[in-house]
Amino acid sequence: MEARLIAALAAALFLGAGCGEPPPEQVNADDVMFLQMMIPHHKQGIEIVRLAGPKATSPAVRNLAAAIEQTQTTEVQTMTRWLTEWDQPLTAPTDAHAGHGGLPETDRERIAAVKNERDLVNLLIAHQDDAVQMARVEVYNGESPKVKEWAKQVEASREAQIDLMLSVLER
């Protein structure tokens, strides 16, 4: 009887061992750096697309700008939540950006120089291409499955946006 009781307790402990806290999410420094770099990149993208109101003449550019603003606002919230869940700072150290292959932010003078839709679209193409490049680095170097999957989505969506904007320029 005592042997059965011990066996039952051991089985209960064994089965219960997997019912506690989930294992910590696997993340690495590249995941953290990617998000820390993408947050300001997205915020700057939002700043750029807000120029579409007074600069964009075609419905395609106005609609794309509105979609980008909405999407990137939501993505900033998601990235902020992930970094907070991982107990990581929302911004990278000043000197860390270049050391991780970070692209410079879009030049403030170039943003201020946007005079028309063509300027806006060219600037946005370059800005979204930077997001594609950063996403590719994350897919290659990152460890977090959810961040890598999201980076693949960023890469695909920004490439599609660039294709759309190139077709606008061809008209």
Side-chain angles (χ1 to χ4, degrees), residues 111-129:
I111 295 171
V114 171
K115 291 183 179 33
N116 54 44
E117 182 176 276
R118 184 169 204 76
D119 292 347
L120 174 67
V121 170
N122 279 315
L123 178 62
L124 198 50
I125 288 170
H127 187 80
Q128 296 301 66
D129 185 64

Side-chain angles (χ1 to χ4, degrees), residues 38 41 48-49 60-61 64-65 67-68 72 103 106 110 117-118 120-136 153-171:
M38 285 299 277
H41 186 269
I48 292 168
V49 297
V61 173
L64 178 61
I68 289 171
Q72 292 192 182
L103 300 167
T106 301
R110 189 163 176 213
E117 182 176 276
R118 184 169 204 76
L120 174 67
V121 170
N122 279 315
L123 178 62
L124 198 50
I125 288 170
H127 187 80
Q128 296 301 66
D129 185 64
D130 287 348
V132 169
Q133 302 311 314
M134 292 181 347
R136 286 179 179 158
Q153 293 171 8
V154 167
E155 180 181 0
S157 69
R158 282 20 174 218
E159 285 176 337
Q161 291 170 7
I162 290 168
D163 289 344
L164 176 67
M165 289 183 283
L166 288 171
S167 72
V168 166
L169 290 177
E170 290 173 1
R171 290 186 219 149

Side-chain angles (χ1 to χ4, degrees), residues 1 7 12 14 19 21-22 35 37 40 48-49 56-57 65 71 79 91 96 117-118 126 132 134 150 156 158 161 166:
M1 180 78 164
F14 177 74
C19 295
E21 294 277 325
L35 298 179
M37 289 174 16
I48 292 168
V49 297
T57 55
T71 300
M79 291 184 286
T91 56
E117 182 176 276
R118 184 169 204 76
V132 169
M134 292 181 347
W150 177 69
R158 282 20 174 218
Q161 291 170 7
L166 288 171

Side-chain angles (χ1 to χ4, degrees), residues 8-164:
L9 286 172
L13 287 172
F14 177 74
L15 292 173
C19 295
E21 294 277 325
E25 183 175 355
Q26 296 297 312
V27 298
N28 64 14
D30 290 294
D31 298 318
V32 172
M33 180 62 63
F34 172 64
L35 298 179
Q36 289 172 334
M37 289 174 16
M38 285 299 277
I39 289 172
H41 186 269
H42 273 42
K43 288 179 178 179
Q44 192 172 47
I46 293 166
E47 176 186 345
I48 292 168
V49 297
R50 285 183 177 159
L51 295 173
K55 308 292 182 190
T57 55
S58 70
V61 173
R62 283 194 301 273
N63 291 337
L64 178 61
I68 289 171
E69 181 174 3
Q70 177 63 43
T71 300
Q72 292 192 182
T73 298
T74 301
E75 289 174 345
V76 166
Q77 294 166 351
T78 299
M79 291 184 286
T80 300
R81 186 181 73 247
W82 287 342
L83 288 169
T84 301
E85 287 171 0
W86 301 338
D87 200 25
Q88 294 295 320
L90 299 180
T91 56
T94 307
D95 61 343
H97 190 72
H100 283 78
L103 300 167
E105 74 173 11
T106 301
D107 185 77
R108 295 251 163 237
E109 291 175 9
R110 189 163 176 213
I111 295 171
V114 171
K115 291 183 179 33
N116 54 44
E117 182 176 276
R118 184 169 204 76
D119 292 347
L120 174 67
V121 170
N122 279 315
L123 178 62
L124 198 50
I125 288 170
H127 187 80
Q128 296 301 66
D129 185 64
D130 287 348
V132 169
Q133 302 311 314
M134 292 181 347
R136 286 179 179 158
V137 171
E138 168 59 20
V139 169
Y140 185 77
N141 293 326
E143 187 171 330
S144 168
K146 72 181 176 187
V147 177
K148 288 176 72 158
E149 185 58 36
W150 177 69
K152 289 176 190 175
Q153 293 171 8
V154 167
E155 180 181 0
S157 69
R158 282 20 174 218
E159 285 176 337
Q161 291 170 7
I162 290 168
D163 289 344
L164 176 67

